[in-house]
Amino acid sequence: MTRRIVLLVYPGFQVLDAAGPLAAFEAANAFVPNAYLLELIARDGGLVASSGGTRLAATAFSNRAGDDTLIVTGGDGVFAAAECATTVGFVSNSGAALRRIASVCSGAYLLATAGLLHGRRATTHWRRSQDFARRFPDVQVDADRIFTRDGKVWTSAGISAGIDLALALIADDLGETVARQVARQLVVYYRRPGGQSQFSEMAELQPAGGRFAALLDHVRSHLRDRLDVDELAGLARMSPRNFSRCFAAEVGVTPARAVERLRVEAALAALESGARSVQEAAREFGFADPERMRRAFMRTLGVPPSSRRRAPG
C-alpha cells in the first residue's frame, strides 16, 4: 500500500520543517519500496520562498484526492497563512477527509485556526507555547513534549522534532523495525519518545543577559548544593517571596522546577555518555537518592533514568 504524504508550505515556512520529514519518508522508501509518495503543496503552487530565502517547488492544493496524510510546516509566515481563508479552509477540510493530519513547530497555529485542535492535546515550539495557549485556550498545550498524538491529529515541537514526528508516523504505518532502520540511516536517535522534554527549554531557561542568567549559571555549576528557594533568593539578594514571584514571571517556571530540569539535563548527559551509573548520577547532580531522580526524570522526560543509561565502552 502506497501512502501519499503531502506537506503544506507557504511564504515564510521553515525549510527544515519540510526537509526533515521528507528525508525520513524518503529513507523509509529505501527499506519498504513505494511505501510513500511525497509532495509539497501550497495555495498557489510554484516556487515558494522559505523564511531563509530558499525557494521550493510546490503543487497548488486545490481539487486534491487520494492524499493520506497532511503535514503542516511551521515558520514565521504561519501567521499570515492563518489569516488566509483559502488556506485555513483547505486545512479544515483535510482534517475531515484525511486519515491523518500533523503539524511541525508553529504549524500548530494553522491546525488550531482551522478548528482541528479544539479540545485536543497539542504541542509546538517551546518559545511559542505561552502565546499559543493564550490564543487558543480550548487547546490543552503540552509545552514540554517533542510530539503529541490525539486521535488522528499529531503535533510536534520545533524544527528537528519534525524528524521525530516523521519517525513516529513511519512506525505507525510500517512498524518499529522500519522506523529504527530509518533513524539509523539518518544518524539520529531512535526514537526520542514523545514525552521527552524539549531540551532547548532547559538549556535556555534564561537568555544571556537576563536578570537571572548569572544565578542559573551558578545553579548549573553547583547542582550538588541544596539550592532551595531561600538559598537562591539569598544569592539573588531578594526576599524568598519576591524572588519566587519574579523568577517565575521572567523565566517561566518556578525556581524548584528550574533546578530540577537542570539537574535532569546534567544527569541525562552523564547517563547517555555512560560516564555515571544511576546511583552515581543521583549523588553527583543533587538528587537525594535514585528514587527521587527517577520521579524527576518521569516528570521532565516521561521516561526513567534506566532507559537512558548507556553501558561504558
Side-chain angles (χ1 to χ4, degrees), residues 4-15:
R4 181 178 292 162
I5 309 292
V6 294
L7 291 94
L8 175 62
V9 297
Y10 43 79
F13 75 98
Q14 166 58 243
V15 165

Side-chain angles (χ1 to χ4, degrees), residues 11 27 43-44 71 89 98-100 116 138 144 146 178 192 200 216 218 258 264 288-289 308 312:
R43 186 189 67 182
D44 301 321
I71 300 176
L98 301 189
R99 179 176 71 95
R100 193 168 57 186
L116 300 183
D138 58 327
D144 276 348
I146 287 178
V178 174
R192 294 188 293 174
S200 58
L216 287 170
H218 173 88
V264 167
D289 53 61
R308 311 313 301 271

